[in-house]
Amino acid sequence: MWNRKYLLTIFGLLTLSCDILGTATVVYESIGGKATFACKKTQNDDKWTYKSNDFATEDIVIRSSKRMLELRGHLPMVKRARIVQDFSLEIKDVESSDEGIYKCSSEGKEYKLCIVSVHADPQGPGVQFTPLKIKCAICENTPRIWQHPHKINIMNSNNYIINKEEGTIEIKSLSMEDAGTWTCKITNFHIEYKLQIIGFTGNSSLTTFCKKGDTAYLPCQLHSLPSVPDFGNLIITGGGWKKKAEQDSMDQLLFLQFMNRELSWNLSVVNKRLTFHSENIGRNLSVTIKNVQLKDAGEYICEVQFNTRILKKTVKILVEDVITEVTHSTGVNKSGHKKMSLWMFILIGVVAFVLIVLLIIVTILIIRHQRLRAQAKRRAYQRQALTPKQYCQCHRSRNRNGYSRQPVKEKLLDEEFY
């Protein structure tokens, strides 16, 4: 049987804890921040007390004596605490051990300091195309809102999963757009987490077209932020280029080796047609294939191996064949014949077009000339019809009626008469 006094004691403690939870003002602060609890002095013997939880005993943080002297206790935060603005308590450089309940005896105010922290799993910079979980941890189950670096509140989607109870956001596949400052919002408080991502510049998968005999460029450069000069706790342990062969097997073309804490190319198995960068190894793994052949067509994979994760990029090369067989009769290659025939067709087409244009121009000129000649004749005939006839008036005589006669006829009559 339970003792009656013991039961009353338990009931009293539960009631007191409920009162504290109901009246205590929650103050959120991150590690390293500054927490301030407001209070006013009402008497000379005021004090600030602290207890880690509702059932722990109170210890003095700072006490004001009758002589207005500050008497400090022996708690860890005492060295970082001070009285400001009458009798308000300020704690600098907050630590996780400072979390608990603070009480001002003068006004009976209680404050619950709740430490907020954010961390990622796995820790350190994120790697492109890999999953990441960020947790916003607080002392109680308070609603939290996640904000993307692009100032967008995140909701559950195919790539983002939010757990409200745990205060976590899970990113299934990191992209370079996820890099930046993530914000965990709580009531009257927010905390930021700077996410740095290591990934490739440009597209993670691309296709390159080239002709036989040309040079093919296979880009593979890491995008690094200025604030991550050494990738944090990530260490590059290897990497290189592989070509996908038949039956999903891989042929190693060029690979990095990590020896004596330095990266270097393994040059013992390098194809002579491959050229690569010897400087800034680990960030620039781009290679060039000279004198591309048909056998070089296929899918190439660039890998950067970290101590915990692997980053991959795919480059597909398509090689166009150029026929260079030599004929036995003339010794001219077929590609030359194809080029000559093509130019001949173009030349014939241009000449035919010019001749047609000239023929049209000549035809138009001839028709125009004929029309002009016809018009000239018509105008000349019209002028002749309108001009009065002029007859010679020499040796003409007039008859009795006043009309003249032709002198030729007169002369003939005279000759006949005589």
Side-chain angles (χ1 to χ4, degrees), residues 10-11 20 52 58 90 108 126 130 149 158 166 170 181 214 218 225 249 280 363 382:
I10 295 177
F11 180 76
I20 292 175
S52 58
E58 293 183 351
E90 181 184 270
T130 61
N158 294 332
E166 296 181 359
E170 182 179 355
T181 302
D214 290 347
L218 282 66
L225 301 175
S249 60
N280 203 11
T363 303
Q382 291 175 355

Side-chain angles (χ1 to χ4, degrees), residues 147-184:
Q147 188 179 72
H148 194 269
H150 293 169
K151 305 302 180 183
I152 301 173
N153 292 338
I154 298 298
M155 306 295 290
N156 282 320
S157 61
N158 294 332
N159 195 42
Y160 303 106
I161 300 177
I162 297 177
N163 189 326
K164 295 183 179 180
E165 295 181 356
E166 296 181 359
T168 60
I169 178 171
E170 182 179 355
I171 307 174
K172 291 184 177 181
S173 179
L174 286 173
S175 66
M176 298 309 299
E177 294 182 354
D178 294 326
T181 302
W182 287 77
T183 305
C184 175

Side-chain angles (χ1 to χ4, degrees), residues 150-346:
H150 293 169
K151 305 302 180 183
I152 301 173
N153 292 338
I154 298 298
M155 306 295 290
N156 282 320
S157 61
N158 294 332
N159 195 42
Y160 303 106
I161 300 177
I162 297 177
N163 189 326
K164 295 183 179 180
E165 295 181 356
E166 296 181 359
T168 60
I169 178 171
E170 182 179 355
I171 307 174
K172 291 184 177 181
S173 179
L174 286 173
S175 66
M176 298 309 299
E177 294 182 354
D178 294 326
T181 302
W182 287 77
T183 305
C184 175
K185 292 183 176 181
I186 311 171
T187 305
N188 299 326
F189 185 78
H190 70 275
I191 186 171
E192 296 179 345
Y193 178 77
K194 292 184 179 180
L195 176 59
Q196 299 165 342
I197 299 177
I198 299 172
F200 292 114
T201 58
N203 297 328
S204 61
S205 179
L206 56 90
T207 302
T208 302
F209 298 89
C210 59
K211 293 183 179 180
K212 182 180 178 181
D214 290 347
T215 300
Y217 177 67
L218 282 66
C220 185
Q221 295 182 358
L222 285 179
H223 172 84
S224 85
L225 301 175
S227 56
V228 193
D230 55 356
F231 303 135
N233 62 345
L234 290 177
I235 300 174
I236 298 179
T237 58
W241 284 93
K242 296 179 181 179
K243 183 183 178 183
K244 193 173 183 180
E246 298 180 356
Q247 299 179 356
D248 295 334
S249 60
M250 292 290 178
D251 294 336
Q252 190 80 34
L253 299 179
L254 181 67
F255 62 93
L256 293 169
Q257 55 186 4
F258 188 71
M259 298 179 63
N260 299 326
R261 301 183 63 84
E262 292 185 358
L263 283 172
S264 61
W265 291 107
N266 189 342
L267 303 180
S268 60
V269 293
V270 175
N271 192 315
K272 294 182 179 180
R273 293 187 294 116
L274 286 178
T275 59
F276 47 86
H277 295 270
S278 300
E279 299 178 356
N280 203 11
I281 300 177
R283 295 185 187 275
N284 191 357
L285 279 71
S286 302
V287 297
T288 303
I289 303 178
K290 298 180 179 179
N291 191 18
V292 174
Q293 303 298 317
L294 294 178
K295 63 180 181 179
D296 296 328
E299 187 174 329
Y300 294 79
I301 299 175
C302 175
E303 287 187 356
V304 181
Q305 300 174 0
F306 297 94
N307 51 344
T308 56
R309 282 154 281 183
I310 297 177
L311 188 58
K312 296 183 179 181
K313 180 175 184 175
T314 303
V315 180
K316 189 175 182 180
I317 296 181
L318 299 179
V319 181
E320 181 182 354
D321 189 12
V322 179
I323 301 176
T324 56
E325 296 180 3
V326 179
T327 59
H328 296 284
S329 59
T330 61
V332 182
N333 57 27
K334 293 183 179 180
S335 61
H337 281 298
K338 290 184 178 180
K339 294 180 179 179
M340 289 294 293
S341 61
L342 178 60
W343 281 108
M344 287 297 294
F345 279 119
I346 295 174

Side-chain angles (χ1 to χ4, degrees), residues 83-103:
I83 299 297
V84 295
Q85 296 178 356
D86 199 0
F87 201 65
S88 298
L89 179 64
E90 181 184 270
I91 300 177
K92 294 183 178 180
D93 301 327
V94 173
E95 299 178 358
S96 58
S97 59
D98 298 338
E99 191 173 78
I101 299 172
Y102 295 81
K103 183 177 180 181

Side-chain angles (χ1 to χ4, degrees), residues 33-51:
K34 181 175 67 175
T36 303
F37 313 110
C39 187
K40 294 182 179 180
K41 188 177 182 63
T42 58
Q43 54 185 358
N44 293 332
D45 195 14
D46 293 332
K47 61 182 178 180
W48 276 97
T49 59
Y50 163 83
K51 58 182 179 180

